[in-house]
């Protein structure tokens, strides 16, 4: 998948809009107006800070169901996504937690969003919701049935979960792409706010080949210059909140700081790569003169 077709850049920063509790969730506040207002505020802050895309999650609906969410959640998320599509010009994705990929695909298709995130596309993971089995066969057939072009970004060995058995990361990435038909893969740490290791990102990128690899958690302005060297893009939220606290709204200053740190690192990498042939040629000429 060519990321530039969606995000207009080879290395997108995707900011997360964490929705306030939605209808039927334990902490639902009985005000969809408040949910929409907070979502619009966060989307605006992310866009003004320079991100390349957004993803909308029902993050505060804990405890999550492990599969299908209530229809009220689907309705509320559809409404929010449509409002954000009219508010910002950025590509938008959908993640229906914990693993309702079918609803995410329906929401994204009907609102003309661009991609979805699926926590468990293939394999079996032990989570706090119980065992979650990947249903790639259902999701891919459903996408075809809808006539949808929505892309599937799939986690590999997703956070807040443990795989049954001890799968090799390289094998897990390859199977998610080759057997699950993911359009992009996501690598996270063990929990929200925990980054993947550089070594794991390098392994995942090598296994993924031409398929994009995203950092899915724990990215900050301090570590993104190092982590992005082994990834194609990043999905980020926690470090962009006021005081770095997950319950707080997005801070546009933190967003700008993050985006600038990543862009500066990528520019330095490209500049270094561009200078390598010149330096090599100069070394050869010097060696020839000395010889």
């Amino acid at each position: 998948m060519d990321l530039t077709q969606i995000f207009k850049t080879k290395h997108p920063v995707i900011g997360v809009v964490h929705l306030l509790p939605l209808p039927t969730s334990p902490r639902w506040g009985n005000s969809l107006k408040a949910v929409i207002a907070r979502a619009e505020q966060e989307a605006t802050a992310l866009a003004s800070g320079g991100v390349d895309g957004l993803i909308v999650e029902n993050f505060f609906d804990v405890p999550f169901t492990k599969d299908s969410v209530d229809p009220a959640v689907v309705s509320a998320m559809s409404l929010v996504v449509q409002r954000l599509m009219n508010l910002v010009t950025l590509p938008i994705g959908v993640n229906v937690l914990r693993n309702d990929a079918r609803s995410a695909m329906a929401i994204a298709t009907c609102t003309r969003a661009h991609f979805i995130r699926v926590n468990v596309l293939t394999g079996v993971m032990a989570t706090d919701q119980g065992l979650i089995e990947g249903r790639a066969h259902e999701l891919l057939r459903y996408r075809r049935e809808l006539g949808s072009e929505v892309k599937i970004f799939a986690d590999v060995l997703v956070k807040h979960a443990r795989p049954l058995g001890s799968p090799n990361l390289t094998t897990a990435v390859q199977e998610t792409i080759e057997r699950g038909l993911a359009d992009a893969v996501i690598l996270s740490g063990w929990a929200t706010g925990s980054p993947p290791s550089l070594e794991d990102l390098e392994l995942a990128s090598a296994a993924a080949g031409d398929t994009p690899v995203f950092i899915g958690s724990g990215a900050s302005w301090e570590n993104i210059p190092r982590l992005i060297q082994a990834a194609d893009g990043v999905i980020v939220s926690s470090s962009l909140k006021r005081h770095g606290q997950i319950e707080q709204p997005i801070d546009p200053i933190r967003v700008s700081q993050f985006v600038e740190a990543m862009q500066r690192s990528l520019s330095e990498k490209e500049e270094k790569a561009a200078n390598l042939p010149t330096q090599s040629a100069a070394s050869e000429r010097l060696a020839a003169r000395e010889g």
Side-chain angles (χ1 to χ4, degrees), residues 79-95:
L79 179 59
V80 171
V81 172
Q82 189 63 61
R83 291 287 289 263
L84 299 188
M85 292 283 288
N86 294 329
L87 180 68
V88 300
T89 58
L90 298 173
I92 294 178
V94 180
N95 185 17

Side-chain angles (χ1 to χ4, degrees), residues 112-214:
R112 298 182 181 272
H114 298 79
F115 63 98
I116 65 171
R117 180 175 184 173
V118 183
N119 283 181
V120 184
L121 181 66
T122 60
V124 183
M125 301 293 287
T127 75
D128 54 305
Q129 295 82 33
L131 294 180
I132 297 181
E133 298 182 26
R135 296 179 179 177
H137 62 294
E138 293 181 2
L139 180 61
L140 270 295
R141 285 164 174 77
Y142 187 51
R143 181 170 70 172
R144 184 182 64 181
E145 183 180 346
L146 291 174
S148 176
E149 297 182 356
V150 170
K151 302 300 183 184
I152 298 170
F153 291 17
D155 283 274
V156 175
L157 306 180
V158 68
K159 59 189 175 182
H160 298 291
R162 297 293 185 274
L164 294 190
S166 302
N168 176 277
L169 176 59
T170 295
T171 301
V173 170
Q174 292 172 338
E175 290 192 345
T176 301
I177 295 169
E178 296 170 7
R179 297 172 67 83
L181 302 185
D183 297 297
V185 295
I186 303 167
L187 204 66
S188 301
W190 289 115
T192 299
S194 172
S197 69
L198 182 61
E199 294 74 19
D200 282 351
L201 282 170
E202 290 172 342
L203 283 173
S205 294
D210 293 333
T211 301
V213 174
F214 280 81

